[in-house]
Amino acid sequence: IIEALAKENQLQHAQRWVLRLRAKGYKLDAKTYEACVIHCVRNEDWSHAEEFLDWQLRDRVLPKSKLVYSDVIKHVAYSKESRMNRICLAENWLRRLFHLGVKVETSVINFVIDAQAQMGQAARARHWIVQMRKYGVKPNLDSYRLCLQGCARASDGKTTDLTFRELIQEKDFSPDIRSYNAAIMGMARAYKNIAMVEDQARDIYLHMMKEDRVVPNVATFMAVTRNLVINGWWEEMEQYRKEIFSARTGTKLNVGAYNRIMLIYSKAFPVQAKRLVAAFRAMIEDKIAPNHQTVQILENALGWQARKSLLLQTGNEHVSSTPPLRRLVSRAGGNARQEAEGIRMRLHENQPYICTACGLYNMANALRCGACDTPKPAVIKQKTKDRED
């Protein structure tokens, strides 16, 4: 009866039957629970899916397939309803499955690792790699890569070092270019002043260059030269450029790489103006269109007259230094950066807000958006109670 009700999308009636049977001391089998959860997932009825899975685990009925819990944990981990509490709920599902003796698939645990990494919780992401080994689940390359990406977002050099050391000691697989780039970026963001400390990002880069099967790409160049901008070390940058963008690798420069090259030339002391102009002309010869960042670098380094002259000579006078508007996309766990479309925010007084139509950041006193003229969302007026003396 319960399975038939679930197939007919009568989930509330199926829920009542389950409650009646559980009140009388009966337990449903794994097949019935699996049918209910799967039909809830197909209909995207996540509240009932979580409720059926909760009853199954309370009755200590082992799931026979990962289809019972994988989609539920994935939805909870990436839910936009709130911030960290939904990810904590996904972690709670994993703990209950582990304590029940279920050998959870690595791909399901990676959902939680990815969600924690996107929120910048590098230590929590690494914690689940340790828990996987504790309960006999072997992490894969995606587990380490996602954790390293979280370390890069959090600028956590210690966790990056521990995770990368474990990754290179794995015998079943080796780090790929995305894992190397994440580790290099994590070290670069954690240890910025390389003039005072050892450049640990370079150490990982040298380890990567010893591997013939790993080919560096533009992201590698952007990560390893990130801290060269601070000191304007253009000679070291040119060395990386020769190694990464060589005939052996076949990697081609894009507008971001050219902007990084010109930015380092502009930060050097003295400013390497001739090399900067040569890099700009090389970008035009490669038929790469400049963007607003290119215009800003040229103007800050050479002045507005030289910038205007270079753009006119190359036929790019239409390029502006104003960055284009970007839509703000929410991250896992419902981060504060919410989607710009279809969201009605409840604001407090004197609080800046993000336009719900175009995603522009507006000040609190702006009654309409400065870009699309959309009215400001509703405001919660703060009320204070009169004190009783």
Side-chain angles (χ1 to χ4, degrees):
I1 296 176
I2 297 175
E3 292 182 21
L5 291 173
K7 290 180 181 179
E8 295 295 331
N9 297 330
Q10 301 291 331
L11 298 175
Q12 292 185 351
H13 294 290
Q15 180 185 13
R16 293 172 187 171
W17 276 101
V18 174
L19 288 173
R20 292 174 187 173
L21 293 175
R22 294 184 77 251
K24 295 181 179 180
Y26 295 102
K27 290 184 180 181
L28 302 180
D29 57 355
K31 182 180 177 181
T32 306
Y33 277 122
E34 180 178 352
C36 294
V37 173
I38 289 177
H39 283 89
C40 291
V41 170
R42 289 176 181 174
N43 296 324
E44 297 184 356
D45 191 346
W46 301 108
S47 59
H48 283 95
E50 292 182 36
E51 198 163 9
F52 282 120
L53 182 58
D54 177 62
W55 289 337
Q56 181 177 359
L57 299 184
R58 286 178 182 271
D59 293 342
R60 304 188 67 82
V61 179
L62 295 177
K64 294 184 178 180
S65 173
K66 74 171 186 177
L67 297 175
V68 181
Y69 56 83
S70 62
D71 290 333
V72 176
I73 294 177
K74 180 179 179 180
H75 168 74
V76 173
Y78 295 110
S79 176
K80 303 173 184 176
E81 296 177 4
S82 54
R83 298 186 184 181
M84 284 300 299
N85 58 342
R86 295 292 288 181
I87 302 180
C88 293
L89 180 58
E91 291 181 321
N92 187 40
W93 284 117
L94 291 180
R95 292 191 190 96
R96 293 178 64 180
L97 290 169
F98 280 140
H99 293 165
L100 196 59
V102 180
K103 191 173 182 180
V104 185
E105 295 284 341
T106 305
S107 58
V108 179
I109 306 176
N110 287 346
F111 294 148
V112 177
I113 295 176
D114 185 25
Q116 291 284 12
Q118 291 189 25
M119 294 292 290
Q121 302 291 330
R124 296 298 304 169
R126 174 174 164 74
H127 165 77
W128 281 106
I129 294 180
V130 177
Q131 292 295 107
M132 291 167 71
R133 293 198 188 93
K134 177 181 176 181
Y135 289 101
V137 181
K138 196 167 185 179
N140 55 16
L141 181 59
D142 290 337
S143 306
Y144 288 104
R145 177 178 54 80
L146 294 171
C147 184
L148 288 172
Q149 290 175 353
C151 296
R153 289 191 180 96
S155 303
D156 192 341
K158 182 178 179 181
T159 308
T160 302
D161 185 46
L162 293 174
T163 308
F164 183 74
R165 290 180 183 274
E166 292 181 0
L167 174 58
I168 60 179
Q169 291 175 359
E170 288 286 346
K171 298 180 180 180
D172 296 338
F173 50 85
S174 300
D176 59 351
I177 184 60
R178 298 175 66 187
S179 303
Y180 273 117
N181 290 344
I184 293 172
M185 181 59 74
M187 287 299 187
R189 296 187 66 176
Y191 306 105
K192 299 179 181 179
N193 194 355
I194 57 177
M196 302 296 294
V197 299
E198 182 181 0
D199 190 359
Q200 300 190 34
R202 176 176 172 79
D203 297 338
I204 299 178
Y205 168 78
L206 294 176
H207 186 280
M208 180 194 68
M209 295 303 290
K210 295 178 182 178
E211 300 285 343
D212 295 334
R213 55 177 186 78
V214 180
V215 179
N217 54 18
V218 177
T220 310
F221 178 77
M222 299 296 288
V224 77
T225 59
R226 186 179 190 274
N227 292 333
L228 300 181
V229 178
I230 300 175
N231 302 300
W233 290 355
W234 59 272
E235 295 177 347
E236 288 80 357
M237 178 272 296
E238 288 186 345
Q239 179 184 358
Y240 288 129
R241 179 181 178 180
K242 292 179 181 178
E243 295 175 354
I244 296 175
F245 303 103
S246 62
R248 182 185 68 85
T249 61
T251 306
K252 302 296 183 182
L253 287 91
N254 60 6
V255 63
Y258 273 115
N259 287 343
R260 175 61 57 84
I261 293 170
M262 290 187 289
L263 181 61
I264 294 176
Y265 284 142
S266 67
K267 295 294 183 179
F269 183 80
V271 176
Q272 301 296 315
K274 293 183 178 179
R275 289 184 170 87
L276 191 153
V277 175
F280 176 73
R281 294 188 182 279
M283 180 178 67
I284 301 301
E285 291 177 0
D286 291 341
K287 298 181 180 180
I288 299 176
N291 56 13
H292 68 281
Q293 294 180 349
T294 312
V295 177
Q296 292 175 358
I297 294 170
L298 292 174
E299 184 169 348
N300 293 335
L302 307 176
W304 69 270
Q305 292 177 333
R307 180 263 302 169
K308 184 178 180 180
S309 175
L310 285 172
L311 293 178
L312 284 173
Q313 292 175 13
T314 57
N316 293 286
E317 63 277 4
H318 61 279
V319 182
S320 173
S321 60
T322 304
L325 295 176
R326 296 185 305 171
R327 293 187 181 276
L328 301 181
V329 181
S330 64
R331 292 182 174 179
N335 197 6
R337 305 195 320 172
Q338 295 179 342
E339 289 184 352
E341 296 181 352
I343 295 179
R344 296 296 297 175
M345 296 179 292
R346 298 291 292 176
L347 303 171
H348 291 278
E349 290 180 309
N350 302 324
Q351 178 183 354
Y353 68 97
I354 296 174
C355 178
T356 58
C358 66
L360 181 69
Y361 183 86
N362 294 278
M363 301 303 294
N365 56 359
L367 299 180
R368 289 182 172 271
C369 177
C372 63
D373 202 36
T374 302
K376 181 180 180 180
V379 175
I380 301 176
K381 294 185 178 180
Q382 299 177 354
K383 296 181 181 181
T384 56
K385 296 182 179 180
D386 298 333
R387 294 183 56 184
E388 296 180 1
D389 298 331

